[in-house]
Amino acid sequence: GAGVSQTPSNKVTEKGKYVELRCDPISGHTALYWYRQSLGQGPEFLIYFQGTGAADDSGLPNDRFFAVRPEGSVSTLKIQRTERGDSAVYLCASGGTILHEQYFGPGTRLTVT
Amino acid sequence: ELKVEQNPLFLSMQEGKNYTIYCNYSTTSDRLYWYRQDPGKSLESLFVLLSNGAVKQEGRLMASLDTKARLSTLHITAAVHDLSATYFCAVDSGNQFYFGTGTSLTVIP
């Protein structure tokens, strides 16, 4: 079956602009996670959704970052007033609730110039 | 904040040799995960360890978990070039997953 997909695969934007990153989870998965991975580092937790609600958004670095999942499936990570430090690969993962296992998407590489 | 430490960070080993990657974490958790990441690719789940003493094996890789010591190991047996990748361990605490910094493994022919 189809895995987790993310669009776009690459995004280059200018400092100060607004960007949206999209995640399509595996069908039927209720859990959805967003991570940020900088070069040479492990993924850093941003936010976790269970269904439509953000169960834990404590990893969002500041109020420029926001994520939604209005129908409990597709999620969008929104970044306002982008800064060069936001440049990273943004990973999405979805999963069931039994084993807490996550299936990762290919990521969106965001570059802020 | 929960910390997850891996060592070594970089590992270069010859084909056919054995080696172990270590993952230490700083808080109680009964669940430990190992992932593989190839350059420019996303993360692939290798093992999910759900209890103290859990041991899982897949091919040349074997993972174990000691929750009392807060330690997991990933043992590589008779390494082959195809195992070259970065390996991450992760621990979940409530809703959050905490990843180690990764071990970059290069297997040399």
Side-chain angles (χ1 to χ4, degrees):
Chain A
V4 178
S5 62
Q6 292 185 245
T7 54
S9 55
N10 281 284
K11 176 71 176 179
V12 180
T13 190
E14 292 180 347
K15 179 176 179 296
K17 298 290 188 184
Y18 168 83
V19 295
E20 290 189 351
L21 312 179
R22 176 185 168 111
C23 172
D24 281 86
I26 293 171
S27 178
H29 278 185
T30 57
L32 187 145
Y33 304 81
W34 282 100
Y35 294 87
R36 177 168 69 175
Q37 187 176 24
S38 300
L39 192 63
Q41 300 294 318
E44 172 194 14
F45 170 83
L46 296 177
I47 187 169
Y48 160 62
F49 287 91
Q50 183 57 249
T52 60
D56 189 334
D57 65 357
S58 61
L60 295 177
N62 52 59
D63 61 6
R64 295 186 297 105
F65 288 74
F66 189 71
V68 296
R69 195 186 185 197
E71 297 178 358
S73 178
V74 170
S75 177
T76 305
L77 178 65
K78 308 180 181 196
I79 310 174
Q80 298 178 320
R81 305 183 302 281
T82 51
E83 299 177 357
R84 292 194 180 88
D86 298 335
S87 296
V89 175
Y90 289 80
L91 294 167
C92 173
S94 72
T97 57
I98 297 176
L99 288 182
H100 302 260
E101 194 160 0
Q102 300 176 85
Y103 297 86
F104 281 82
T108 293
R109 181 176 298 278
L110 175 66
T111 304
V112 182
T113 62
Chain B
E1 181 182 314
L2 190 155
K3 292 191 185 302
V4 182
E5 294 183 344
Q6 289 181 236
N7 73 85
L9 298 182
F10 298 93
L11 174 58
S12 181
M13 57 190 297
Q14 286 189 313
E15 278 190 330
K17 298 292 187 184
N18 305 332
Y19 208 84
T20 300
I21 299 170
Y22 297 88
C23 173
N24 290 90
Y25 53 98
S26 64
T27 193
T28 55
S29 176
D30 290 335
R31 293 184 293 270
L32 192 290
Y33 309 79
W34 283 97
Y35 294 87
R36 168 183 172 142
Q37 187 174 38
D38 291 290
K41 304 291 186 183
S42 193
L43 281 81
E44 172 192 355
S45 178
L46 294 175
F47 299 109
V48 179
L49 303 170
L50 297 176
S51 62
N52 185 41
V55 177
K56 290 196 174 179
Q57 182 164 4
E58 180 74 33
R60 299 174 188 276
L61 301 178
M62 183 173 72
S64 66
L65 177 61
D66 181 343
T67 58
K68 291 182 173 55
R70 300 179 187 173
L71 170 68
S72 180
T73 61
L74 181 66
H75 186 73
I76 303 155
T77 301
V80 293
H81 180 67
D82 285 352
L83 291 180
S84 297
T86 299
Y87 293 85
F88 292 96
C89 63
V91 175
D92 80 78
S93 177
N95 298 320
Q96 298 193 23
F97 281 71
Y98 294 86
F99 283 78
T101 50
T103 296
S104 177
L105 170 66
T106 303
V107 181
I108 304 166

